[in-house]
Amino acid sequence: MMTNLLILGGTTEAAALAKVVAGAGITATMSLAGRVARPARSPLPQRVGGFGGVAGLVAYLREHHVTHLVDATHPFAAEMSTNAIAACAQTGVPCIALTRPAWAVQTGDNWINVPDIAGAVSALNRPRARVFLAVGRMHLAAFAPNPQHHYVLRLVDPPSAPLPLPDAQVIVARGPFSEADDLALMRAHGIELVVSKNAGGTGAYAKIAAARQLGLPVIMIDRPVLPARQEVETVDQVMDWLDHTATERGV
């Protein structure tokens, strides 16, 4: 049996893995959630959209004879990651997570750590400020209880519906961004406070470095807690895992 890899993607790490996998001639499919209208091109065949929960993913793994699964989704894609763990346990498909290390506080940082989106909303229950709300479009409605702020939103796609925030400015742009980019943005918009998920890695770190340089507080949202799983941090480690598990299974 040949290796048939399913990559749950949507991150820079997934894109890097796809390039290496394609170059190695491994049969693989990239699965995207479909939250971005114009996803970056991939050297692998792509499928877009959800699976329909654990049962749907189990059915997909079996129907398509998937031999390995790599979860390279965003660290905050908790539902998809949890479903992948459960589906692989049911089907016996080996799985591993390619996940970026979380950010850690550095000298000069002023972080207000909160456990989740609800905690960030509570932390914004304060007098009006100019807020760089860097949490993605899926969570904007959660911040509606704090309409007093002026929000600056940077989104990959233009909003397709009215924003749930009465005083908000949208910047449509696709990263990664440099520290100079985010310094310029924060200065131009008079940002006084940043709200960010602890996404980790380098691709989204510029806003954290810029906030440090400007002495701005950052409401930092902790990563969701997931069931136990095997995790690695590099594409090379994934390739080693693929080789090892394929040998063990006679793939």
PDB file of all heavy atoms in Angstrom, residues 55-89:
ATOM      1  N   ALA A  55     -17.724  11.881  12.729  1.00  0.00           N
ATOM      2  CA  ALA A  55     -18.261  10.822  11.862  1.00  0.00           C
ATOM      3  C   ALA A  55     -17.924  11.086  10.403  1.00  0.00           C
ATOM      4  O   ALA A  55     -17.574  10.165   9.655  1.00  0.00           O
ATOM      5  CB  ALA A  55     -19.771  10.704  12.051  1.00  0.00           C
ATOM      6  N   GLY A  56     -18.026  12.344   9.992  1.00  0.00           N
ATOM      7  CA  GLY A  56     -17.706  12.686   8.608  1.00  0.00           C
ATOM      8  C   GLY A  56     -16.243  12.493   8.285  1.00  0.00           C
ATOM      9  O   GLY A  56     -15.892  12.024   7.190  1.00  0.00           O
ATOM     10  N   LEU A  57     -15.378  12.836   9.228  1.00  0.00           N
ATOM     11  CA  LEU A  57     -13.942  12.652   8.999  1.00  0.00           C
ATOM     12  C   LEU A  57     -13.597  11.165   8.987  1.00  0.00           C
ATOM     13  O   LEU A  57     -12.777  10.720   8.167  1.00  0.00           O
ATOM     14  CB  LEU A  57     -13.141  13.394  10.063  1.00  0.00           C
ATOM     15  CG  LEU A  57     -11.616  13.318   9.941  1.00  0.00           C
ATOM     16  CD1 LEU A  57     -11.134  13.732   8.552  1.00  0.00           C
ATOM     17  CD2 LEU A  57     -10.945  14.186  11.010  1.00  0.00           C
ATOM     18  N   VAL A  58     -14.209  10.389   9.859  1.00  0.00           N
ATOM     19  CA  VAL A  58     -13.988   8.932   9.846  1.00  0.00           C
ATOM     20  C   VAL A  58     -14.368   8.369   8.484  1.00  0.00           C
ATOM     21  O   VAL A  58     -13.624   7.565   7.884  1.00  0.00           O
ATOM     22  CB  VAL A  58     -14.809   8.250  10.964  1.00  0.00           C
ATOM     23  CG1 VAL A  58     -14.876   6.742  10.743  1.00  0.00           C
ATOM     24  CG2 VAL A  58     -14.205   8.555  12.324  1.00  0.00           C
ATOM     25  N   ALA A  59     -15.519   8.793   7.966  1.00  0.00           N
ATOM     26  CA  ALA A  59     -15.974   8.306   6.661  1.00  0.00           C
ATOM     27  C   ALA A  59     -14.998   8.700   5.558  1.00  0.00           C
ATOM     28  O   ALA A  59     -14.697   7.901   4.657  1.00  0.00           O
ATOM     29  CB  ALA A  59     -17.365   8.842   6.363  1.00  0.00           C
ATOM     30  N   TYR A  60     -14.484   9.927   5.627  1.00  0.00           N
ATOM     31  CA  TYR A  60     -13.527  10.394   4.600  1.00  0.00           C
ATOM     32  C   TYR A  60     -12.246   9.571   4.653  1.00  0.00           C
ATOM     33  O   TYR A  60     -11.726   9.137   3.613  1.00  0.00           O
ATOM     34  CB  TYR A  60     -13.219  11.872   4.805  1.00  0.00           C
ATOM     35  CG  TYR A  60     -12.262  12.420   3.769  1.00  0.00           C
ATOM     36  CD1 TYR A  60     -12.743  13.028   2.615  1.00  0.00           C
ATOM     37  CD2 TYR A  60     -10.876  12.318   3.929  1.00  0.00           C
ATOM     38  CE1 TYR A  60     -11.874  13.520   1.653  1.00  0.00           C
ATOM     39  CE2 TYR A  60     -10.005  12.793   2.971  1.00  0.00           C
ATOM     40  CZ  TYR A  60     -10.509  13.395   1.836  1.00  0.00           C
ATOM     41  OH  TYR A  60      -9.637  13.869   0.879  1.00  0.00           O
ATOM     42  N   LEU A  61     -11.716   9.355   5.834  1.00  0.00           N
ATOM     43  CA  LEU A  61     -10.469   8.600   5.971  1.00  0.00           C
ATOM     44  C   LEU A  61     -10.621   7.197   5.386  1.00  0.00           C
ATOM     45  O   LEU A  61      -9.714   6.700   4.706  1.00  0.00           O
ATOM     46  CB  LEU A  61     -10.058   8.515   7.442  1.00  0.00           C
ATOM     47  CG  LEU A  61      -9.700   9.841   8.141  1.00  0.00           C
ATOM     48  CD1 LEU A  61      -9.403   9.594   9.620  1.00  0.00           C
ATOM     49  CD2 LEU A  61      -8.529  10.532   7.479  1.00  0.00           C
ATOM     50  N   ARG A  62     -11.757   6.580   5.652  1.00  0.00           N
ATOM     51  CA  ARG A  62     -11.980   5.233   5.144  1.00  0.00           C
ATOM     52  C   ARG A  62     -12.237   5.218   3.639  1.00  0.00           C
ATOM     53  O   ARG A  62     -11.676   4.391   2.912  1.00  0.00           O
ATOM     54  CB  ARG A  62     -13.146   4.596   5.898  1.00  0.00           C
ATOM     55  CG  ARG A  62     -12.776   4.243   7.339  1.00  0.00           C
ATOM     56  CD  ARG A  62     -13.964   3.756   8.129  1.00  0.00           C
ATOM     57  NE  ARG A  62     -13.537   3.267   9.458  1.00  0.00           N
ATOM     58  CZ  ARG A  62     -14.358   3.120  10.493  1.00  0.00           C
ATOM     59  NH1 ARG A  62     -15.651   3.433  10.372  1.00  0.00           N
ATOM     60  NH2 ARG A  62     -13.896   2.677  11.651  1.00  0.00           N
ATOM     61  N   GLU A  63     -13.075   6.125   3.171  1.00  0.00           N
ATOM     62  CA  GLU A  63     -13.432   6.148   1.751  1.00  0.00           C
ATOM     63  C   GLU A  63     -12.228   6.426   0.867  1.00  0.00           C
ATOM     64  O   GLU A  63     -12.089   5.860  -0.217  1.00  0.00           O
ATOM     65  CB  GLU A  63     -14.516   7.196   1.504  1.00  0.00           C
ATOM     66  CG  GLU A  63     -14.942   7.335   0.048  1.00  0.00           C
ATOM     67  CD  GLU A  63     -15.944   8.441  -0.171  1.00  0.00           C
ATOM     68  OE1 GLU A  63     -16.452   9.009   0.823  1.00  0.00           O
ATOM     69  OE2 GLU A  63     -16.235   8.745  -1.353  1.00  0.00           O
ATOM     70  N   HIS A  64     -11.347   7.301   1.342  1.00  0.00           N
ATOM     71  CA  HIS A  64     -10.195   7.709   0.536  1.00  0.00           C
ATOM     72  C   HIS A  64      -8.926   6.938   0.904  1.00  0.00           C
ATOM     73  O   HIS A  64      -7.845   7.270   0.399  1.00  0.00           O
ATOM     74  CB  HIS A  64      -9.974   9.210   0.670  1.00  0.00           C
ATOM     75  CG  HIS A  64     -11.094  10.026   0.080  1.00  0.00           C
ATOM     76  ND1 HIS A  64     -11.111  10.423  -1.236  1.00  0.00           N
ATOM     77  CD2 HIS A  64     -12.249  10.488   0.623  1.00  0.00           C
ATOM     78  CE1 HIS A  64     -12.216  11.109  -1.479  1.00  0.00           C
ATOM     79  NE2 HIS A  64     -12.928  11.166  -0.367  1.00  0.00           N
ATOM     80  N   HIS A  65      -9.052   5.940   1.757  1.00  0.00           N
ATOM     81  CA  HIS A  65      -7.929   5.060   2.113  1.00  0.00           C
ATOM     82  C   HIS A  65      -6.716   5.879   2.595  1.00  0.00           C
ATOM     83  O   HIS A  65      -5.579   5.649   2.167  1.00  0.00           O
ATOM     84  CB  HIS A  65      -7.537   4.178   0.928  1.00  0.00           C
ATOM     85  CG  HIS A  65      -8.693   3.398   0.367  1.00  0.00           C
ATOM     86  ND1 HIS A  65      -9.284   2.351   1.031  1.00  0.00           N
ATOM     87  CD2 HIS A  65      -9.385   3.541  -0.802  1.00  0.00           C
ATOM     88  CE1 HIS A  65     -10.276   1.861   0.306  1.00  0.00           C
ATOM     89  NE2 HIS A  65     -10.370   2.565  -0.801  1.00  0.00           N
ATOM     90  N   VAL A  66      -6.986   6.833   3.466  1.00  0.00           N
ATOM     91  CA  VAL A  66      -5.923   7.663   4.032  1.00  0.00           C
ATOM     92  C   VAL A  66      -5.077   6.814   4.975  1.00  0.00           C
ATOM     93  O   VAL A  66      -5.597   6.089   5.829  1.00  0.00           O
ATOM     94  CB  VAL A  66      -6.524   8.873   4.785  1.00  0.00           C
ATOM     95  CG1 VAL A  66      -5.434   9.643   5.534  1.00  0.00           C
ATOM     96  CG2 VAL A  66      -7.258   9.792   3.803  1.00  0.00           C
ATOM     97  N   THR A  67      -3.767   6.883   4.806  1.00  0.00           N
ATOM     98  CA  THR A  67      -2.850   6.102   5.642  1.00  0.00           C
ATOM     99  C   THR A  67      -2.219   6.916   6.761  1.00  0.00           C
ATOM    100  O   THR A  67      -1.767   6.348   7.765  1.00  0.00           O
ATOM    101  CB  THR A  67      -1.717   5.494   4.798  1.00  0.00           C
ATOM    102  OG1 THR A  67      -0.933   6.567   4.227  1.00  0.00           O
ATOM    103  CG2 THR A  67      -2.277   4.620   3.679  1.00  0.00           C
ATOM    104  N   HIS A  68      -2.158   8.253   6.602  1.00  0.00           N
ATOM    105  CA  HIS A  68      -1.542   9.120   7.607  1.00  0.00           C
ATOM    106  C   HIS A  68      -2.277  10.465   7.602  1.00  0.00           C
ATOM    107  O   HIS A  68      -2.730  10.924   6.546  1.00  0.00           O
ATOM    108  CB  HIS A  68      -0.063   9.399   7.296  1.00  0.00           C
ATOM    109  CG  HIS A  68       0.809   8.188   7.298  1.00  0.00           C
ATOM    110  ND1 HIS A  68       0.816   7.277   6.267  1.00  0.00           N
ATOM    111  CD2 HIS A  68       1.715   7.741   8.216  1.00  0.00           C
ATOM    112  CE1 HIS A  68       1.686   6.321   6.539  1.00  0.00           C
ATOM    113  NE2 HIS A  68       2.247   6.577   7.708  1.00  0.00           N
ATOM    114  N   LEU A  69      -2.335  11.095   8.768  1.00  0.00           N
ATOM    115  CA  LEU A  69      -2.944  12.431   8.875  1.00  0.00           C
ATOM    116  C   LEU A  69      -1.991  13.351   9.621  1.00  0.00           C
ATOM    117  O   LEU A  69      -1.466  12.974  10.681  1.00  0.00           O
ATOM    118  CB  LEU A  69      -4.290  12.348   9.595  1.00  0.00           C
ATOM    119  CG  LEU A  69      -5.075  13.660   9.707  1.00  0.00           C
ATOM    120  CD1 LEU A  69      -6.583  13.398   9.655  1.00  0.00           C
ATOM    121  CD2 LEU A  69      -4.742  14.424  10.997  1.00  0.00           C
ATOM    122  N   VAL A  70      -1.785  14.531   9.059  1.00  0.00           N
ATOM    123  CA  VAL A  70      -1.006  15.579   9.731  1.00  0.00           C
ATOM    124  C   VAL A  70      -1.928  16.757   9.991  1.00  0.00           C
ATOM    125  O   VAL A  70      -2.516  17.317   9.055  1.00  0.00           O
ATOM    126  CB  VAL A  70       0.203  16.037   8.892  1.00  0.00           C
ATOM    127  CG1 VAL A  70       0.920  17.193   9.587  1.00  0.00           C
ATOM    128  CG2 VAL A  70       1.172  14.886   8.664  1.00  0.00           C
ATOM    129  N   ASP A  71      -2.075  17.112  11.249  1.00  0.00           N
ATOM    130  CA  ASP A  71      -2.873  18.277  11.629  1.00  0.00           C
ATOM    131  C   ASP A  71      -1.952  19.490  11.671  1.00  0.00           C
ATOM    132  O   ASP A  71      -1.180  19.664  12.611  1.00  0.00           O
ATOM    133  CB  ASP A  71      -3.524  18.049  12.993  1.00  0.00           C
ATOM    134  CG  ASP A  71      -4.373  19.236  13.447  1.00  0.00           C
ATOM    135  OD1 ASP A  71      -4.477  20.225  12.683  1.00  0.00           O
ATOM    136  OD2 ASP A  71      -4.913  19.173  14.561  1.00  0.00           O
ATOM    137  N   ALA A  72      -2.024  20.292  10.614  1.00  0.00           N
ATOM    138  CA  ALA A  72      -1.229  21.524  10.549  1.00  0.00           C
ATOM    139  C   ALA A  72      -2.156  22.725  10.530  1.00  0.00           C
ATOM    140  O   ALA A  72      -1.884  23.734   9.877  1.00  0.00           O
ATOM    141  CB  ALA A  72      -0.323  21.514   9.319  1.00  0.00           C
ATOM    142  N   THR A  73      -3.274  22.622  11.265  1.00  0.00           N
ATOM    143  CA  THR A  73      -4.211  23.731  11.362  1.00  0.00           C
ATOM    144  C   THR A  73      -3.680  24.779  12.343  1.00  0.00           C
ATOM    145  O   THR A  73      -2.684  24.587  13.031  1.00  0.00           O
ATOM    146  CB  THR A  73      -5.584  23.242  11.836  1.00  0.00           C
ATOM    147  OG1 THR A  73      -5.445  22.583  13.104  1.00  0.00           O
ATOM    148  CG2 THR A  73      -6.206  22.287  10.827  1.00  0.00           C
ATOM    149  N   HIS A  74      -4.390  25.896  12.417  1.00  0.00           N
ATOM    150  CA  HIS A  74      -4.044  26.967  13.347  1.00  0.00           C
ATOM    151  C   HIS A  74      -4.164  26.452  14.781  1.00  0.00           C
ATOM    152  O   HIS A  74      -5.039  25.628  15.077  1.00  0.00           O
ATOM    153  CB  HIS A  74      -4.988  28.152  13.127  1.00  0.00           C
ATOM    154  CG  HIS A  74      -4.565  29.403  13.809  1.00  0.00           C
ATOM    155  ND1 HIS A  74      -4.824  29.650  15.145  1.00  0.00           N
ATOM    156  CD2 HIS A  74      -3.893  30.489  13.348  1.00  0.00           C
ATOM    157  CE1 HIS A  74      -4.337  30.838  15.458  1.00  0.00           C
ATOM    158  NE2 HIS A  74      -3.761  31.360  14.410  1.00  0.00           N
ATOM    159  N   PRO A  75      -3.290  26.904  15.686  1.00  0.00           N
ATOM    160  CA  PRO A  75      -3.370  26.437  17.075  1.00  0.00           C
ATOM    161  C   PRO A  75      -4.724  26.677  17.737  1.00  0.00           C
ATOM    162  O   PRO A  75      -5.028  26.051  18.750  1.00  0.00           O
ATOM    163  CB  PRO A  75      -2.266  27.243  17.772  1.00  0.00           C
ATOM    164  CG  PRO A  75      -1.289  27.565  16.694  1.00  0.00           C
ATOM    165  CD  PRO A  75      -2.116  27.773  15.457  1.00  0.00           C
ATOM    166  N   PHE A  76      -5.529  27.580  17.179  1.00  0.00           N
ATOM    167  CA  PHE A  76      -6.843  27.862  17.759  1.00  0.00           C
ATOM    168  C   PHE A  76      -7.975  27.141  17.037  1.00  0.00           C
ATOM    169  O   PHE A  76      -9.146  27.357  17.355  1.00  0.00           O
ATOM    170  CB  PHE A  76      -7.095  29.371  17.791  1.00  0.00           C
ATOM    171  CG  PHE A  76      -6.399  30.059  18.932  1.00  0.00           C
ATOM    172  CD1 PHE A  76      -5.046  30.332  18.871  1.00  0.00           C
ATOM    173  CD2 PHE A  76      -7.084  30.423  20.082  1.00  0.00           C
ATOM    174  CE1 PHE A  76      -4.379  30.946  19.925  1.00  0.00           C
ATOM    175  CE2 PHE A  76      -6.442  31.034  21.141  1.00  0.00           C
ATOM    176  CZ  PHE A  76      -5.080  31.301  21.063  1.00  0.00           C
ATOM    177  N   ALA A  77      -7.649  26.267  16.094  1.00  0.00           N
ATOM    178  CA  ALA A  77      -8.674  25.458  15.418  1.00  0.00           C
ATOM    179  C   ALA A  77      -8.975  24.236  16.279  1.00  0.00           C
ATOM    180  O   ALA A  77      -8.773  23.083  15.880  1.00  0.00           O
ATOM    181  CB  ALA A  77      -8.200  25.058  14.035  1.00  0.00           C
ATOM    182  N   ALA A  78      -9.456  24.485  17.486  1.00  0.00           N
ATOM    183  CA  ALA A  78      -9.582  23.434  18.491  1.00  0.00           C
ATOM    184  C   ALA A  78     -10.577  22.358  18.081  1.00  0.00           C
ATOM    185  O   ALA A  78     -10.344  21.165  18.319  1.00  0.00           O
ATOM    186  CB  ALA A  78      -9.989  24.042  19.833  1.00  0.00           C
ATOM    187  N   GLU A  79     -11.696  22.739  17.494  1.00  0.00           N
ATOM    188  CA  GLU A  79     -12.715  21.748  17.130  1.00  0.00           C
ATOM    189  C   GLU A  79     -12.180  20.781  16.079  1.00  0.00           C
ATOM    190  O   GLU A  79     -12.354  19.561  16.192  1.00  0.00           O
ATOM    191  CB  GLU A  79     -13.980  22.437  16.619  1.00  0.00           C
ATOM    192  CG  GLU A  79     -15.096  21.468  16.287  1.00  0.00           C
ATOM    193  CD  GLU A  79     -16.378  22.159  15.873  1.00  0.00           C
ATOM    194  OE1 GLU A  79     -16.377  23.415  15.752  1.00  0.00           O
ATOM    195  OE2 GLU A  79     -17.388  21.458  15.650  1.00  0.00           O
ATOM    196  N   MET A  80     -11.517  21.310  15.048  1.00  0.00           N
ATOM    197  CA  MET A  80     -10.977  20.459  13.999  1.00  0.00           C
ATOM    198  C   MET A  80      -9.906  19.538  14.567  1.00  0.00           C
ATOM    199  O   MET A  80      -9.861  18.344  14.238  1.00  0.00           O
ATOM    200  CB  MET A  80     -10.399  21.324  12.872  1.00  0.00           C
ATOM    201  CG  MET A  80      -9.901  20.518  11.670  1.00  0.00           C
ATOM    202  SD  MET A  80     -11.227  19.733  10.722  1.00  0.00           S
ATOM    203  CE  MET A  80     -11.092  18.031  11.242  1.00  0.00           C
ATOM    204  N   SER A  81      -9.032  20.066  15.397  1.00  0.00           N
ATOM    205  CA  SER A  81      -7.969  19.248  15.971  1.00  0.00           C
ATOM    206  C   SER A  81      -8.531  18.152  16.860  1.00  0.00           C
ATOM    207  O   SER A  81      -8.072  16.997  16.822  1.00  0.00           O
ATOM    208  CB  SER A  81      -6.994  20.127  16.767  1.00  0.00           C
ATOM    209  OG  SER A  81      -6.291  21.007  15.903  1.00  0.00           O
ATOM    210  N   THR A  82      -9.528  18.492  17.675  1.00  0.00           N
ATOM    211  CA  THR A  82     -10.158  17.495  18.545  1.00  0.00           C
ATOM    212  C   THR A  82     -10.836  16.409  17.718  1.00  0.00           C
ATOM    213  O   THR A  82     -10.744  15.210  18.030  1.00  0.00           O
ATOM    214  CB  THR A  82     -11.172  18.166  19.485  1.00  0.00           C
ATOM    215  OG1 THR A  82     -10.493  19.147  20.281  1.00  0.00           O
ATOM    216  CG2 THR A  82     -11.819  17.151  20.411  1.00  0.00           C
ATOM    217  N   ASN A  83     -11.517  16.813  16.649  1.00  0.00           N
ATOM    218  CA  ASN A  83     -12.169  15.838  15.764  1.00  0.00           C
ATOM    219  C   ASN A  83     -11.142  14.920  15.105  1.00  0.00           C
ATOM    220  O   ASN A  83     -11.384  13.716  14.942  1.00  0.00           O
ATOM    221  CB  ASN A  83     -12.986  16.552  14.695  1.00  0.00           C
ATOM    222  CG  ASN A  83     -14.228  17.218  15.250  1.00  0.00           C
ATOM    223  OD1 ASN A  83     -14.604  16.997  16.408  1.00  0.00           O
ATOM    224  ND2 ASN A  83     -14.879  18.037  14.444  1.00  0.00           N
ATOM    225  N   ALA A  84     -10.010  15.490  14.707  1.00  0.00           N
ATOM    226  CA  ALA A  84      -8.968  14.689  14.056  1.00  0.00           C
ATOM    227  C   ALA A  84      -8.414  13.635  15.012  1.00  0.00           C
ATOM    228  O   ALA A  84      -8.191  12.478  14.623  1.00  0.00           O
ATOM    229  CB  ALA A  84      -7.848  15.588  13.551  1.00  0.00           C
ATOM    230  N   ILE A  85      -8.194  14.014  16.253  1.00  0.00           N
ATOM    231  CA  ILE A  85      -7.697  13.060  17.249  1.00  0.00           C
ATOM    232  C   ILE A  85      -8.687  11.906  17.405  1.00  0.00           C
ATOM    233  O   ILE A  85      -8.310  10.728  17.407  1.00  0.00           O
ATOM    234  CB  ILE A  85      -7.457  13.776  18.592  1.00  0.00           C
ATOM    235  CG1 ILE A  85      -6.314  14.792  18.473  1.00  0.00           C
ATOM    236  CG2 ILE A  85      -7.157  12.757  19.705  1.00  0.00           C
ATOM    237  CD1 ILE A  85      -6.223  15.757  19.638  1.00  0.00           C
ATOM    238  N   ALA A  86      -9.970  12.240  17.512  1.00  0.00           N
ATOM    239  CA  ALA A  86     -10.992  11.214  17.709  1.00  0.00           C
ATOM    240  C   ALA A  86     -11.140  10.325  16.480  1.00  0.00           C
ATOM    241  O   ALA A  86     -11.255   9.095  16.599  1.00  0.00           O
ATOM    242  CB  ALA A  86     -12.332  11.871  18.049  1.00  0.00           C
ATOM    243  N   ALA A  87     -11.138  10.936  15.290  1.00  0.00           N
ATOM    244  CA  ALA A  87     -11.319  10.164  14.061  1.00  0.00           C
ATOM    245  C   ALA A  87     -10.152   9.216  13.828  1.00  0.00           C
ATOM    246  O   ALA A  87     -10.334   8.066  13.397  1.00  0.00           O
ATOM    247  CB  ALA A  87     -11.484  11.106  12.868  1.00  0.00           C
ATOM    248  N   CYS A  88      -8.944   9.673  14.110  1.00  0.00           N
ATOM    249  CA  CYS A  88      -7.778   8.809  13.930  1.00  0.00           C
ATOM    250  C   CYS A  88      -7.783   7.673  14.948  1.00  0.00           C
ATOM    251  O   CYS A  88      -7.376   6.548  14.636  1.00  0.00           O
ATOM    252  CB  CYS A  88      -6.497   9.630  14.017  1.00  0.00           C
ATOM    253  SG  CYS A  88      -6.217  10.681  12.569  1.00  0.00           S
ATOM    254  N   ALA A  89      -8.259   7.948  16.154  1.00  0.00           N
ATOM    255  CA  ALA A  89      -8.351   6.886  17.155  1.00  0.00           C
ATOM    256  C   ALA A  89      -9.349   5.817  16.712  1.00  0.00           C
ATOM    257  O   ALA A  89      -9.114   4.618  16.909  1.00  0.00           O
ATOM    258  CB  ALA A  89      -8.771   7.469  18.502  1.00  0.00           C
TER     259      ALA A  89
END
